[in-house]
Amino acid sequence: MDFSQEWLATIDTILAHGNRVAPRGKMTMELPQNTIVVNMRMPVLRVPSRSLSYKFMAAEAFWILSGDDRVETIAPYNSRIKDFSDDGERFFGAYGPKIKAQLPYIVEKLLADRDSRQAGLTIWRESPPETKDVPCTVAIFFNVRDSKLNAHVFMRSSDVWLGVPYDVFNFSMLSHLVCGLLNEQLTTLNRVSPGKLYLTAASSHLYEPNWADAKACLDLRRTSCCGMIHTT
């Protein structure tokens, strides 16, 4: 399945079989220990009924890969994101600084041992303090198999409606960057290209305010598919 199909299938499963849990008093439907698989050459969700901000999508990816954690540099693209900063200036759980600091290790490890299983970085903060911005992602591991760079992302929490469309793009762009850094030092015959993204979440969920929109999205897709089948 492509990303759009994977995303819709996950939503369908959560709505049909999810458990109701309310962390911090906010009702969700939750699917435990779920993995989606995405071709990182096609990381953009293509579901018209799920409106996305592609300007923010591109800006956030650049912001992360540049190692930034400042509110002022990302807030112009998302007016609500500043609400997750504790001091209005920086984000406690920003991915960028952690990724930028550990990228050299990733590249060195894969150049030294192409089959390595140790090319990983961590984003989680140990024993985080009280904050509005606890990182959702715990770790990312990369491996090269059959000349493809695969990324394995482990998340404690994954909001399938609001977060996953942007997370998949961000992690895919990170993997493209890793490919570029590797290929700078590899011969033409040994170069790698982006492979698959495996995004595993301890909790894949939908918040209650998004249930109706998620169901409508599924219903619209089913109606569209039925119409296509009928006309052919």
Side-chain angles (χ1 to χ4, degrees):
M1 290 192 292
D2 67 14
F3 177 29
S4 298
Q5 291 173 318
E6 284 266 316
W7 184 77
L8 288 167
T10 301
I11 286 177
D12 193 18
T13 302
I14 291 174
L15 290 175
H17 305 291
N19 299 314
R20 294 195 179 202
V21 295
R24 294 173 288 116
K26 297 181 179 181
M27 182 58 67
T28 69
M29 283 190 183
E30 178 184 77
L31 184 66
Q33 193 62 22
N34 183 67
T35 299
I36 64 173
V37 184
V38 177
N39 178 351
M40 290 192 290
R41 286 189 175 276
M42 295 182 288
V44 178
L45 186 71
R46 295 175 294 117
V47 178
S49 50
R50 172 61 177 102
S51 178
L52 297 168
S53 171
Y54 296 106
K55 286 184 178 180
F56 172 65
M57 184 179 288
E60 186 182 33
F62 177 81
W63 184 73
I64 290 172
L65 297 185
S66 66
D68 206 345
D69 66 354
R70 293 170 295 166
V71 173
E72 64 179 347
T73 48
I74 193 62
Y77 302 95
N78 185 327
S79 60
R80 296 181 60 189
I81 199 169
K82 64 180 181 295
D83 296 339
F84 295 94
S85 170
D86 298 317
D87 61 7
E89 296 183 3
R90 297 184 181 274
F91 293 95
F92 170 79
Y95 293 2
K98 296 278 281 186
I99 288 173
K100 185 175 182 180
Q102 296 172 83
L103 265 181
Y105 167 81
I106 297 295
V107 174
E108 291 168 9
K109 182 60 65 173
L110 291 174
L111 287 174
D113 180 1
R114 193 178 179 92
D115 294 332
S116 177
R117 297 173 300 199
Q118 299 178 16
L121 60 84
T122 56
I123 292 176
W124 178 253
R125 273 66 159 173
E126 296 83 358
S127 304
E130 190 67 30
T131 176
K132 298 177 184 178
D133 188 30
V134 177
C136 292
T137 303
V138 177
I140 308 172
F141 275 78
F142 299 91
N143 61 25
V144 175
R145 299 294 184 265
D146 298 323
S147 296
K148 299 289 186 182
L149 178 78
N150 302 308
H152 303 260
V153 179
F154 303 92
M155 303 185 74
R156 63 167 184 86
S157 175
S158 177
D159 183 333
V160 178
W161 181 261
L162 294 176
V164 166
Y166 298 97
D167 289 337
V168 164
F169 184 79
N170 288 332
F171 297 136
S172 296
M173 292 304 99
L174 169 60
S175 300
H176 278 71
L177 174 59
V178 173
C179 280
L181 294 172
L182 288 171
N183 288 338
E184 284 181 345
Q185 302 186 58
L186 294 171
T187 65
T188 302
L189 293 177
N190 291 327
R191 286 178 180 170
V192 298
S193 59
K196 292 181 179 180
L197 168 68
Y198 299 86
L199 193 156
T200 300
S203 169
S204 290
H205 53 265
L206 297 171
Y207 280 97
E208 187 172 19
N210 303 127
W211 292 354
D213 287 339
K215 186 178 185 301
C217 193
L218 286 175
D219 290 343
L220 186 61
R221 175 53 66 96
R222 290 189 182 109
T223 300
S224 175
C225 289
C226 288
M228 291 171 62
I229 293 171
H230 180 73
T231 56
T232 57

